[in-house]
Amino acid sequence: MTDVRTPADLFGRNVVAMVTPMEADGSVSEPGVLALVDHLLSTGVDGLVVAGTTGEAPTLSDEETARLIRTVVDRAAGRVRVIAGVGTYDTAHTVHRARAAEAAGADALLLVTPYYSKPTQAGVVAHCRVVADATHLPVMLYDIPGRSGLALTAATLTELAGHPNIRAVKDAKGDLFEALTLMSSTPLAYYCGIDELNLPYLAAGATGLVSVVGNVAAERNRRLIAAVDAGDLAAAREINAGLIAVTDALMRTSGGAVMAKTALAHLGVIPTPAVRLPLVEPETAHREQVTAALDGLDVDLRVGELSAR
């Protein structure tokens, strides 16, 4: 039976790539996870990616990942889509993680290109099909060659678009012309996975965002999507301009996972900015940069609230 739900129904549009809050000893912080979900639900998100790159998935055990998904699903209580990162370089292990995510209540899967193994594109197609066949959940492919070492080619994406469970792409490759081409020639929905390019991707027709910056600025992203939907490019540019400093601080310094945790801890949302090796906490200059960016964002938000009254 064909799934007639739209990608927005399946994955949301204003999606945040959640960090995984941890205690100072590196253990997953359940109170931190619950507080972060509450924070994000209050800021206009409609989708949460759990155990993705920003969630430090490579350092989470299968048991930790399943527990994390279940915790987020229970706290979200159907108010947003919960998308579980399940991809690894091992197809059998990825299938195991996909089924565990389904059992834990996830609404959808995020499937990264197999990393390190560097299969041929035929191998990538076979891998993605086997994983997509393993559950009833909709799948968002994750194209991030800068981390995986292997891009999804246009031909591969076109072929995978024929699978009934493969419905979307999180594009962190940044080839906007390829994205435009595939949006016009396949049913795949595109989600921008590069915060620096959120506005151009939305303007080009992307369905939504999977945002690291959304951990601290999801309300801004919601407004950005709404402005583009309304055809108000001037307003979209203004909103985007207000995000540049915080985007630069989070995405162009010590890495998204590290800096998003630093920002959330500064705001008091999560208990500590702790990360697991090989990630380390940021140098002082980067910490000061994100603090200044958040302070500027807060001021701008207050001005916007006052002017709206």
Side-chain angles (χ1 to χ4, degrees), residues 94-249:
T94 304
V95 166
H96 170 78
R97 288 171 65 96
R99 289 173 175 161
E102 184 177 44
D107 298 296
L109 305 177
L110 180 67
L111 178 59
V112 72
T113 313
Y115 44 90
Y116 192 74
S117 303
K118 296 192 77 172
T120 63
Q121 290 295 308
V124 173
V125 170
H127 171 86
C128 292
R129 283 178 171 164
V130 167
V131 178
D133 284 339
T135 79
H136 295 97
L137 300 179
V139 174
M140 178 185 290
L141 301 175
Y142 187 8
D143 193 6
I144 184 164
R147 289 184 181 273
S148 69
L150 183 68
L152 290 163
T153 67
T156 292
L157 286 164
T158 299
E159 188 171 356
L160 289 172
H163 193 291
N165 286 350
I166 296 176
R167 303 291 298 274
V169 179
K170 177 186 176 184
D171 186 356
K173 181 164 57 185
D175 186 339
L176 187 54
F177 184 69
E178 180 181 276
L180 281 164
T181 302
L182 290 167
M183 279 189 273
S184 69
S185 62
T186 76
L188 290 171
Y190 264 70
Y191 285 74
C192 182
I194 305 174
D195 273 293
E196 298 94 316
L197 299 180
N198 283 343
L199 175 54
Y201 267 79
L202 288 170
T207 296
L209 314 173
V210 179
S211 172
V212 178
V213 174
N215 278 282
V216 296
E219 168 60 20
R220 292 300 189 83
N221 285 344
R222 185 193 64 78
R223 289 168 49 201
L224 180 65
I225 293 168
V228 173
D229 284 351
D232 191 344
L233 188 55
R237 285 172 175 161
E238 183 178 359
I239 295 163
N240 191 68
L243 285 165
I244 287 174
V246 72
T247 300
D248 181 55

Side-chain angles (χ1 to χ4, degrees), residues 76-103:
R79 289 172 285 178
V80 297
R81 303 292 88 189
V82 177
I83 307 157
V86 298
T88 74
Y89 47 63
D90 173 2
T91 304
H93 188 201
T94 304
V95 166
H96 170 78
R97 288 171 65 96
R99 289 173 175 161
E102 184 177 44

